[in-house]
Amino acid sequence: MSLAIVFARASLGVTAPLVTVEAHLANGLPVFNIVGLPETTVKEARDRVRSALINSGFEFPARRITVNLAPADLPKEGGRFDLPIAIAILAASEQIPTSQLEKLEFLGELALTGTLRQIKGALPAVLAARDDDRLLILPDTNDYEAGVIQPCPALLAPHLLAITAWLRQQGELATPEPIIIQEPEYVADLCDVIGQEGGKRALEIAAAGEHNLLLLGPPGTGKSMLASRLPGLLPPMSEEEALELAAIRSISGVSLEPENWRLRAFRQPHHSSSAVALVGGGSYPKPGEISLAHNGVLFLDEMTEFERRVLDALREPLETNYISIARAAQSVIFPARFQLIAAMNPSPCGHYQEGYTRSSSEQILRYLSKVSGPFLDRFDLSAEVSLLPPGELSRKRVKAEGSAAVKKRVLAARSQQLQRAGKTNARLSASELERFCPLDQSDAEFLEQALHKMKLSIRAWHKLIRVARTIADLEHQEHISRSHLIEALGYRAMDRLIQQLQS
């Protein structure tokens, strides 16, 4: 037999499309060609496969070898195709049996000794193989990613020789150990934050309705502490949500561990991060921070230090919950449903209150203008985290309410939202707002007057109603009242600051 067909999986976004590896041996001068849109690392498989076969005791055919990776218009990258190429050559040269190959898929990078090395993106490949009812052979170093899927359609091998022995029915391959999923435990607790009851209340509302939150205040007042407590207030991820995040981490090369399997992501990129680092990209597109924060929290500390164009790149994903990256060779879509929380100082010197600030109104406005108005409009709430009053630190502390108690209220409010609309309040569309969040005529007129007085947009109108609906849910109220609207208007600290400076 001079032709063999083996199945593998490429990596395209968070999917793993099927790749058919065809190996043909023909007469002629010895040459080894790989076709099918391979990039450099795939082309280098020629040398790795040749050395791995020879060092494993196999004969490398001294013939004209052509390996085709189909479909030809799908870009292939990485060392994941080493193993299927080696298996295809061995099958074409009749050094291994071929009876089982149509039911199998292979992925793995080969060392020159024939040892298998870990690959990125194993989890999407395992899920795809399960859907196609095939058995996937993986390096044993990818055991954890395979073990999270039960029943697992994968076998693990440490070396090329182990696979060939198994194909000859002369040995066994290991099955991934089932991963025992642990309940998520968050170390950061809300009771550690001294004072800042207003900030804690805003955090609770943000967690209950999945709202984006901006914390505004002088340095050292607890903005970052509050932000780090948000994941501990959110509901645990479902298995589907956990698998989505695990697939993104898998293709990014981020290690998966049992203790963080169900933990909500909390990503805190540095302010020097580029737009590509934040939203994803590259010649062969990779996920950015917004995708690694999928179903979790993205925290932007010192928001005004980020480049303006970098922040503006987040505007579309915040509305669509995904990021589409187009390149000449391919276009991929990464999920990016994240909750945004940001912290910033109100002025260049960190303060804006009289007696504290060293900056003029013009300097403060220029400082705040580093963040565009349309981006600020994406925040549902902006809360002030001010300096603690005198005596707050020295007085005897009473144990504050912890994250567990607040989380109970958040879960109860989320349950009401899911029963009512099947989604959280922050995700309600304009038509759903009219259906599920009706206002009395007098309350609607009151809100419209406040909107015009504060010079807010129509988007702000919708966000205020969503926040008011969440406040009502936390109080187990069926309808939105005037008090809920007034509290929602109270969480527009940035708008009030800008209006104060301009007056």
Side-chain angles (χ1 to χ4, degrees):
M1 180 180 183
S2 60
L3 177 66
I5 297 176
V6 172
F7 298 108
R9 294 278 169 183
S11 179
L12 184 64
V14 291
T15 63
L18 183 67
V19 172
T20 303
V21 180
E22 303 169 329
H24 179 245
L25 308 184
N27 295 326
L29 292 175
V31 67
F32 189 175
N33 292 321
I34 299 178
V35 298
L37 209 57
E39 59 105 41
T40 303
T41 54
V42 181
K43 293 177 181 178
E44 291 172 348
R46 294 175 297 190
D47 298 315
R48 291 194 297 270
V49 169
R50 179 186 291 108
S51 297
L53 291 181
I54 294 173
N55 290 325
S56 299
F58 294 103
E59 177 189 353
F60 189 79
R63 302 174 65 182
R64 185 180 183 86
I65 303 173
T66 303
V67 174
N68 179 40
L69 306 177
D73 59 348
L74 176 67
K76 289 87 178 177
E77 62 164 333
R80 59 175 46 220
F81 297 104
D82 291 2
L83 177 59
I85 289 173
I87 294 294
I89 291 175
L90 290 175
S93 59
E94 299 182 352
Q95 298 184 65
I96 59 172
T98 60
S99 57
Q100 301 182 60
L101 294 184
E102 63 180 14
K103 299 178 182 179
L104 301 175
E105 295 179 7
F106 299 87
L107 284 179
E109 180 180 336
L110 285 172
L112 300 186
T113 60
T115 303
L116 291 175
R117 290 176 172 157
Q118 185 175 359
I119 62 167
K120 294 181 181 179
L123 183 56
V126 174
L127 293 170
R130 182 185 64 178
D131 294 341
D132 285 355
D133 198 23
R134 289 197 186 94
L135 190 62
L136 179 62
I137 312 299
L138 284 172
D140 58 359
T141 46
N142 286 105
D143 55 342
Y144 176 70
E145 293 181 63
V148 299
I149 308 297
Q150 295 298 327
C152 182
L155 294 175
L156 305 174
H159 196 281
L160 176 62
L161 286 173
I163 298 174
T164 56
W166 179 75
L167 290 172
R168 296 191 185 102
Q169 299 183 350
Q170 295 175 352
E172 295 293 332
L173 296 180
T175 55
E177 289 290 333
I179 299 300
I180 299 175
I181 306 302
Q182 301 178 6
E183 287 298 318
E185 293 185 6
Y186 296 92
V187 177
D189 197 285
L190 205 57
C191 65
D192 299 330
V193 182
I194 301 175
Q196 303 302 355
E197 299 304 321
K200 292 178 182 178
R201 173 64 172 173
L203 200 68
E204 179 180 346
I205 296 170
E210 203 178 353
H211 301 290
N212 298 326
L213 170 64
L214 173 61
L215 298 173
L216 181 70
T221 53
K223 302 185 294 296
S224 299
M225 281 190 71
L226 284 168
S228 65
R229 270 65 183 167
L230 180 57
L233 306 181
L234 300 176
M237 287 193 294
S238 64
E239 183 177 353
E240 181 182 357
E241 289 176 328
L243 278 176
E244 289 176 351
L245 179 59
I248 296 170
R249 286 174 171 170
S250 177
I251 63 177
S252 303
V254 179
S255 62
L256 303 175
E257 299 173 358
E259 57 268 21
N260 65 17
W261 170 249
R262 288 288 180 91
L263 288 179
R264 296 274 180 182
F266 183 80
R267 304 293 298 186
Q268 186 176 348
H270 192 261
H271 65 257
S272 62
S273 300
S274 65
V276 171
L278 222 58
V279 303
S283 301
Y284 290 88
K286 300 296 181 184
E289 290 290 336
I290 62 173
S291 294
L292 290 169
H294 183 58
N295 293 324
V297 178
L298 179 69
F299 176 45
L300 303 181
D301 200 7
E302 304 295 345
M303 187 174 68
T304 49
E305 301 303 321
F306 284 81
E307 289 188 29
R308 182 167 178 160
R309 64 179 185 83
V310 172
L311 294 178
D312 285 341
L314 300 179
R315 284 156 54 181
E316 291 84 355
L318 281 168
E319 299 291 333
T320 62
N321 300 324
Y322 67 86
I323 179 71
S324 178
I325 301 172
R327 294 292 180 266
Q330 59 184 320
S331 178
V332 299
I333 294 177
F334 293 115
R337 174 176 172 166
F338 60 96
Q339 188 169 355
L340 179 62
I341 182 168
M344 60 178 287
N345 298 325
S347 71
C349 68
H351 301 270
Y352 67 94
Q353 295 174 330
E354 188 175 350
Y356 288 93
T357 183
R358 303 188 304 273
S359 306
S360 65
S361 298
E362 293 76 13
Q363 289 175 319
I364 296 176
L365 282 172
R366 191 160 53 249
Y367 176 78
L368 296 178
S369 67
K370 291 182 179 181
V371 184
S372 69
F375 180 71
L376 287 174
D377 220 17
R378 262 65 178 183
F379 289 97
D380 300 359
L381 307 98
S382 61
E384 183 179 355
V385 183
S386 57
L387 292 170
L388 294 176
E392 181 70 23
L393 292 173
S394 59
R395 71 178 178 85
K396 186 176 180 180
R397 289 185 60 193
V398 179
K399 187 172 177 60
E401 187 177 40
S403 294
V406 177
K407 186 174 183 176
K408 287 182 180 179
R409 297 197 293 270
V410 168
L411 293 177
R414 285 269 184 125
S415 177
Q416 294 180 54
Q417 295 166 38
L418 295 178
Q419 290 177 7
R420 179 173 57 242
K423 60 178 71 172
T424 57
N425 290 333
R427 307 291 172 182
L428 294 175
S429 65
S431 59
E432 289 171 330
L433 281 176
E434 295 180 3
R435 178 182 174 188
F436 298 115
C437 309
L439 298 179
D440 291 340
Q441 183 63 32
S442 60
D443 290 339
E445 292 174 355
F446 163 78
L447 185 60
E448 187 175 10
Q449 290 174 2
L451 202 75
H452 285 294
K453 186 175 181 180
M454 298 176 71
K455 300 178 182 179
L456 301 179
S457 65
I458 298 177
R459 180 186 282 117
W461 164 275
H462 291 149
K463 289 188 179 298
L464 284 166
I465 295 177
R466 293 187 185 105
V467 172
R469 179 65 266 175
T470 300
I471 296 171
D473 289 335
L474 286 168
E475 297 179 359
H476 306 289
Q477 298 295 318
E478 185 177 355
H479 300 289
I480 299 173
S481 67
R482 179 74 61 90
S483 62
H484 302 143
L485 293 173
I486 292 173
E487 184 175 359
L489 284 166
Y491 297 114
R492 307 294 300 190
M494 177 62 80
D495 299 307
R496 290 196 302 274
L497 175 59
I498 294 175
Q499 193 173 30
Q500 174 186 339
L501 294 169
Q502 290 176 339
S503 62

